[in-house]
Amino acid sequence: MMRTRPIKLAAWGALALLLASCTSTRAPQPVAPLKPGAAISGPGDYNRPHKDGAPWWDIDVSRIQDAVPMPHYGPVKASPYTVFGKQYYPISDARRYTAVGTASWYGTKFHGQATANGEAYDLYGMTAAHKTLPLPSYVRVTNLDNQRSVILRVNDRGPFYSDRIIDLSFAAAKKLGYAESGTARVKVEGIDPHEWWAQQGRPVPLVLAAPKQAAAPKVMPQPVAEPLEQYSPPLQQHAAAVLPVQIDAKKNASVGASGLYLQVGAFANPDAAELLKAKLSDTVAAPVFISSVVRNQQILHRVRLGPIASRGEAEQLQDSVRLANLGQPTLVKAD
C-alpha cells in the first residue's frame, strides 16, 4: 500500500504537465543563459512575436549589472526630428537632465532589432529609449513607489504615444519592480560619466568597448543645409512609413465599386497605428481603418481612409491630412 502513493503522485504530475502543454500558445523554446560577449540574449532560433511582451526564456535579472557610464568622444545623435507631425529638439548634454513621469518598457517584439542609435536592442540589456536625450547618454532611473534605481544607456528614441517619458528594457523594468504592472512613476536623472567614475574613486578606463551594432539598411545622409532632420524611427520600433502601391491616374480614371483609398502610414508598432487612426478620426469625416499585411516577414499595420467616392474628394482629404501635419496620404489599391 505504501508504494501506491509515489505512483499516484507521479501520475498527477504527468497530468499537470500535459495540461500545461495543452494550454500553452507557444511552442517550447530553449532557455539561453547570459553569455559574455554575446550580441543579444535569448534563443538562437528566435521567432519574433506579433505582439510585444515579456520573454519566454528566463534569466535571473539580479545577475545583470547596471550600465557603466562611459564618456562618449564621438558624435552624438541629437538632431531635431519629426514624428507624427510633431517636432522634437533633443538636447546635446544629458548630464544635468532631470524629469519625473511615467515609464513603460518594451520587449520581445523589438528584441534583436536596431535601435535609433544603430545598436542591437536586447530586452535583457540595461538600455532605454527617450525622445530628447542625446544618443548615447546615461541616466539613473528610480521607481518612486519602491525607491529601486538602475543606471541605463539611452540608445533609442521613444515613446511617441501617451504621456510616458521613457521606455525601458524588460530587464530594467523587472529590476525596478514594474514589469508585471507595465508602467511606473519614475524619476530620470542624467549622469556625468566623469563624475560617476570620480565617485567610485577610480579613473575613467582608457579602453572603451564599442557596443554591438545591429545589421540595418544603409541610411542616406541628410544634406548639410537641411535645418530639420526628418527622422523616422526604424520599422521595428515606433513608426516607419512604407511606400504603398501607387495608383496610376490614367489607368484608374474610373474606379470600381470598391472606391478609392488613401494610405496615410504603415507601422510595425500597432500602438503607433492606433494613435494615428485616432488623430485622423478627429480630423476627417471619411472612414478610418487599419489594414495589416505581412511584408518582408514582418507585420505592418497600414492606416487608411476610405472608401472614397471620387478623386476630387480624395484630393480634399489629402489636403486636410497634410494641413493637420498627420502625413502625406497616397492613393492605393484596395486589397
Side-chain angles (χ1 to χ4, degrees):
M1 295 294 295
M2 295 298 293
R3 298 180 63 182
T4 61
R5 183 177 178 83
I7 295 175
K8 289 182 178 179
L9 289 175
W12 281 111
L15 179 60
L17 288 173
L18 178 61
L19 290 175
S21 64
C22 289
T23 56
S24 175
T25 59
R26 182 181 294 279
Q29 296 288 339
V31 176
L34 210 58
K35 298 179 180 179
I40 59 172
S41 61
D45 56 346
Y46 179 75
N47 294 319
R48 193 168 316 286
H50 298 161
K51 294 184 178 180
D52 199 14
W56 54 91
W57 66 94
D58 190 25
I59 292 178
D60 183 4
V61 296
S62 65
R63 297 169 49 207
I64 301 176
Q65 297 183 353
D66 286 0
V68 178
M70 288 291 192
H72 184 76
Y73 300 109
V76 297
K77 190 177 183 66
S79 301
Y81 64 93
T82 60
V83 173
F84 294 137
K86 181 177 180 180
Q87 296 183 358
Y88 295 91
Y89 297 92
I91 59 178
S92 58
D93 190 344
R95 291 177 296 178
R96 300 295 177 258
Y97 176 86
T98 181
V100 173
T102 302
S104 53
W105 60 269
Y106 57 120
T108 54
K109 186 178 177 65
F110 312 112
H111 184 66
Q113 298 297 297
T115 64
N117 202 37
E119 301 168 12
Y121 171 63
D122 186 348
L123 59 82
Y124 276 116
M126 297 300 284
T127 59
H130 195 277
K131 291 187 284 286
T132 57
L133 287 176
L135 306 181
S137 58
Y138 295 87
V139 294
R140 178 182 296 277
V141 180
T142 304
N143 186 337
L144 297 179
D145 292 330
N146 56 24
Q147 298 306 310
R148 298 183 191 174
S149 66
V150 292
I151 295 177
L152 306 174
R153 176 184 171 89
V154 181
N155 66 350
D156 207 358
R157 287 289 180 229
F160 294 115
Y161 52 94
S162 75
D163 59 348
R164 301 166 192 174
I165 64 170
I166 193 168
D167 255 349
L168 272 57
S169 67
F170 170 78
K174 191 79 172 176
K175 294 187 75 171
L176 289 181
Y178 76 88
E180 290 74 16
S181 60
T183 60
R185 184 168 172 79
V186 301
K187 182 177 182 180
V188 182
E189 302 170 279
I191 293 177
D192 182 335
H194 290 93
E195 290 182 3
W196 186 87
W197 280 99
Q199 291 169 1
Q200 314 307 310
R202 298 170 57 190
V204 178
L206 297 179
V207 180
L208 305 180
K212 182 70 177 179
Q213 298 292 311
K218 293 183 179 180
V219 179
M220 296 300 293
Q222 295 291 332
V224 177
E226 185 70 28
L228 180 66
E229 177 186 356
Q230 295 299 316
Y231 169 76
S232 293
L235 261 178
Q236 65 282 355
Q237 186 54 22
H238 299 283
V242 293
L243 294 177
V245 179
Q246 302 285 339
I247 287 184
D248 191 306
K250 295 181 180 179
K251 294 182 179 180
N252 294 275
S254 60
V255 183
S258 59
L260 288 168
Y261 291 86
L262 290 174
Q263 181 164 309
V264 186
F267 309 96
N269 188 331
D271 293 312
E274 290 290 346
L275 176 61
L276 180 56
K277 177 185 174 184
K279 289 187 175 183
L280 287 169
S281 298
D282 293 337
T283 304
V284 300
V288 186
F289 64 97
I290 296 175
S291 171
S292 299
V293 67
V294 177
R295 293 277 179 84
N296 299 323
Q297 298 182 340
Q298 184 176 33
I299 292 183
L300 294 178
H301 305 279
R302 304 174 298 184
V303 183
R304 293 186 168 185
L305 305 175
I308 305 166
S310 66
R311 187 170 297 277
E313 182 181 347
E315 292 175 352
Q316 291 179 359
L317 284 171
Q318 286 177 311
D319 292 338
S320 298
V321 174
R322 292 187 186 114
L323 288 174
N325 289 322
L326 294 178
Q328 299 292 328
T330 308
L331 285 170
V332 295
K333 296 179 180 178
D335 57 358

